[in-house]
Amino acid sequence: MTADQHPPPLPRNRWYHKLVAVFFVLFCIELGVFLTLVPWTPMWEKNSIAFLSPEWRHLWLNPYFRGAMSGIGILNLWIAFLELVDLRRYWIK
């Protein structure tokens, strides 16, 4: 780069970029808490999916399936944490 050339300007973050990032973090937290806790409550057994067919009910009530859903919930909580840490990009110049 020569002396008369300037680097391209950095993209400017608008207010809606910040808002979308915050909503994404909140969504991941909500989904993560739901998927981590609900498979182990009685509400999970009374869901309409469990009554579609005997095969579905067997799968739906399987502890391994419930554990997989809780694992996806924990993964969502981890994503929310990483995005929360990454929110600094909007305020650090």
Side-chain angles (χ1 to χ4, degrees):
M1 186 179 318
T2 62
D4 60 343
Q5 291 179 336
H6 298 288
L10 294 174
R12 189 163 173 239
N13 293 316
R14 306 269 184 209
W15 64 270
Y16 49 84
H17 294 128
K18 297 174 186 178
L19 188 65
V20 167
V22 169
F23 279 146
F24 181 68
V25 167
L26 292 175
F27 174 75
C28 285
I29 290 172
E30 183 178 350
L31 184 63
V33 169
F34 179 83
L35 286 177
T36 302
L37 299 178
V38 170
W40 306 105
T41 63
M43 183 176 73
W44 186 261
E45 298 171 3
K46 297 176 182 150
N47 194 319
S48 62
I49 295 174
F51 296 106
L52 289 177
S53 70
E55 295 84 20
W56 283 90
R57 183 168 176 75
H58 178 69
L59 173 68
W60 195 256
L61 299 179
N62 188 334
Y64 292 110
F65 182 75
R66 290 178 175 196
M69 290 295 107
S70 291
I72 293 172
I74 291 170
L75 180 65
N76 271 285
L77 291 172
W78 180 250
I79 291 170
F81 172 74
L82 292 178
E83 286 293 321
L84 189 62
V85 169
D86 200 36
L87 276 177
R88 295 178 305 151
R89 71 181 179 264
Y90 293 114
W91 286 278
I92 296 176
K93 301 284 179 180

